[in-house]
């Protein structure tokens, strides 16, 4: 993981280098350790980010007992610096929309290297609920169906959405041999509710059919994310159908959204009970975003929105339970 995702090297680099002769040539060492060009390392920050950091540091020095600079204070610091930039450039104060645009423009990060992509494949809540309360033998077969559907979705991704680009400016899109990924199966949510799901960490390294290692064409993968998710959902229904498990549409709580297909026989009240984490986070995030708009006269930037989401997550988070075995989770 450290070699592949940390630097863009061969995942077995350490073992491959250890197997080389002591007089191995630089070409042999390169072939043993690399998958094409290692990830570039970009350093530095923008002048705006440096100024924000300096003023936040001054604020922390003046408030030694507070700790990290609150989101609201950091937002005002961004506003002040953006306003100063605007006045210097246009010799007048910005309006609300102009200030919002200026903050968003100045807050953009410099170039960074992409180590990989995360695809998370999660069944509808009724599948996790049934898996949690079913007899052990059936629960194991439900998990096997989930794993099989994950494999189906990844094969779809490889066949239809995984490419790289070659030529000047990446003008040519070309096929690759397949993806390199690590999967992690999780069994519950942070609130401890049953939530069977798989995280797939896809390395930003793919091999062309003629043997070159290049980066993933991420644009197409982003466009295909709904198709990948729907492939998982459809295939999961097919695999579970072999166990006699049936699905039907269940109207969603939010108007305008299409009905969700849930397992027949799992009560809606149980699904609501085991979705406590998401309900609490979304409600608190909505409150924080509305308050931010009122306090600062503009919507939060993407960076600030992430901070607000993190704040909502932390404020609604229960004390983290100790790691539990499958048997302990089933008993609970």
């Amino acid at each position: 993981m450290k070699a592949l995702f940390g630097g863009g090297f061969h995942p077995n680099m350490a073992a491959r280098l250890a197997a080389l002769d002591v007089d191995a040539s630089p070409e042999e060492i390169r072939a043993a350790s690399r998958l094409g060009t290692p990830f570039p390392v970009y350093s530095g920050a923008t002048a705006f980010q440096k100024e924000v950091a300096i003023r936040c540091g001054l604020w922390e020095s003046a408030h030694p007992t507070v700790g990290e600079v609150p989101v609201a204070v950091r937002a005002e610091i961004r506003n002040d610096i953006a306003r100063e930039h605007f006045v210097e450039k246009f010799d007048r104060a910005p309006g609300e929309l102009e200030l919002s645009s200026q903050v968003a423009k100045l807050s953009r990060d410099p170039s960074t290297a992409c180590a990989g992509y995360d695809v998370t494949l999660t069944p509808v809540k009724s599948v996790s609920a049934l898996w949690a309360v079913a007899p052990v033998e059936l629960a194991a077969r439900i998990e096997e169906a989930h794993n099989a559907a994950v494999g189906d979705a990844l094969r779809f991704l490889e066949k239809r959405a995984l490419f790289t680009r070659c030529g000047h400016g990446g003008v040519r899109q070309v096929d690759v041999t397949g993806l390199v990924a690590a999967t992690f199966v999780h069994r519950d949510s942070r609130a401890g509710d049953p939530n069977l799901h798989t995280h797939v960490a896809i390395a930003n390294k793919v091999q062309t059919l003629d043997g070159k290692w290049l980066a993933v064409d991420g644009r197409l993968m982003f466009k295909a994310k709904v198709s990948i998710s729907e492939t998982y959902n459809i295939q999961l229904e097919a695999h579970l159908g072999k166990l006699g498990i049936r699905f039907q549409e269940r109207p969603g709580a939010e108007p305008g959204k299409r009905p969700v297909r849930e397992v027949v026989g799992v009560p809606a009240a149980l699904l609501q009970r085991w979705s406590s984490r998401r309900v609490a986070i979304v409600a608190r995030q909505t409150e924080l975003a509305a308050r931010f708009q009122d306090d600062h006269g503009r919507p939060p930037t993407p960076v600030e929105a992430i901070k607000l989401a993190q704040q909502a997550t932390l404020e609604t988070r229960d004390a983290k339970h100790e790691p539990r075995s499958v048997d302990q989770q089933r008993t609970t």
Side-chain angles (χ1 to χ4, degrees):
M1 289 290 290
K2 185 176 180 181
L4 178 61
F5 291 93
F9 293 101
H10 195 290
N12 297 330
M13 178 178 69
R16 288 162 64 93
L17 289 176
L20 292 177
D21 294 332
V22 292
D23 57 350
S25 67
E27 291 75 18
E28 291 174 322
I29 293 173
R30 187 178 298 109
S33 62
R34 291 195 175 190
L35 296 180
T37 304
F39 295 142
V41 177
Y42 298 97
S43 60
T46 65
F48 176 77
Q49 290 171 332
K50 291 176 181 178
E51 184 62 27
V52 170
I54 290 171
R55 297 195 191 186
C56 285
L58 293 174
W59 190 93
E60 288 177 342
S61 298
H63 304 81
T65 61
V66 175
E68 186 178 356
V69 179
V71 172
V73 173
R74 191 179 294 270
E76 277 307 307
I77 289 174
R78 285 196 180 99
N79 277 6
D80 291 341
I81 298 172
R83 194 177 289 110
E84 292 166 8
H85 276 260
F86 191 94
V87 170
E88 182 179 344
K89 185 174 182 179
F90 298 103
D91 199 27
R92 64 176 179 84
E96 287 186 5
L97 186 60
E98 291 172 322
L99 178 61
S100 177
S101 176
Q102 183 78 347
V103 171
K105 180 180 178 181
L106 293 173
S107 297
R108 291 174 187 156
D109 287 328
S111 295
T112 56
C114 174
Y117 302 87
D118 173 63
V119 173
T120 303
L121 297 165
T122 309
V124 291
K125 179 59 73 172
S126 57
V127 172
S128 289
L130 180 60
W131 165 78
V133 302
V136 174
E137 295 79 8
L138 178 57
R141 296 187 69 183
I142 292 172
E143 188 165 348
E144 288 173 2
H146 163 73
N147 293 335
V150 169
D152 294 333
L154 295 182
R155 279 187 287 275
F156 170 85
L157 188 162
E158 284 188 315
K159 183 178 180 181
R160 304 296 297 274
L162 191 68
F163 297 90
T164 188
R165 305 195 77 88
C166 296
H168 180 69
V171 68
R172 187 161 58 96
Q173 188 180 67
V174 299
D175 282 321
V176 296
T177 57
L179 59 81
V180 182
T183 61
F184 303 87
V185 180
H186 291 181
R187 301 191 300 265
D188 62 358
S189 70
R190 286 186 173 271
D193 297 333
N195 186 30
L196 178 67
H197 61 285
T198 296
H199 291 278
V200 185
I202 300 173
N204 193 17
K205 287 288 183 180
V206 283
Q207 189 178 38
T208 63
L209 301 184
D210 59 2
K212 293 181 181 178
W213 284 94
L214 299 171
V216 172
D217 182 0
R219 294 174 295 180
L220 188 57
M221 190 182 297
F222 278 119
K223 289 181 179 180
K225 61 184 180 180
V226 174
S227 299
I228 296 166
S229 175
E230 287 304 303
T231 299
Y232 165 80
N233 291 333
I234 292 169
Q235 292 300 111
L236 180 62
E237 278 201 33
H239 291 301
L240 291 177
K242 299 173 186 176
L243 306 180
I245 296 172
R246 295 183 296 114
F247 288 74
Q248 68 180 13
E249 290 188 351
R250 183 175 294 176
E254 298 180 44
K257 282 199 171 185
R258 67 174 184 171
V260 175
R261 292 181 60 80
E262 298 280 9
V263 174
V264 174
V266 179
L270 180 60
L271 307 188
Q272 183 68 21
R273 169 65 183 85
W274 275 344
S275 300
S276 57
R277 187 82 184 109
R278 175 171 175 77
V279 171
I281 291 174
V282 171
R284 182 55 180 156
Q285 190 173 349
T286 301
E287 293 174 1
L288 292 173
R291 183 189 300 173
F292 187 100
Q293 177 81 42
D294 291 341
D295 291 345
H296 304 292
R298 61 175 177 83
T301 66
V303 171
E304 290 165 341
I306 291 172
K307 283 286 188 181
L308 292 177
Q310 292 171 340
Q311 182 179 341
T313 301
L314 291 172
E315 290 181 357
T316 58
R317 179 181 293 173
D318 296 329
K320 194 169 185 179
H321 59 73
E322 291 297 316
R324 297 180 295 184
S325 68
V326 178
D327 288 341
Q328 290 172 325
Q329 288 176 315
R330 288 179 60 82
T331 300
T332 300

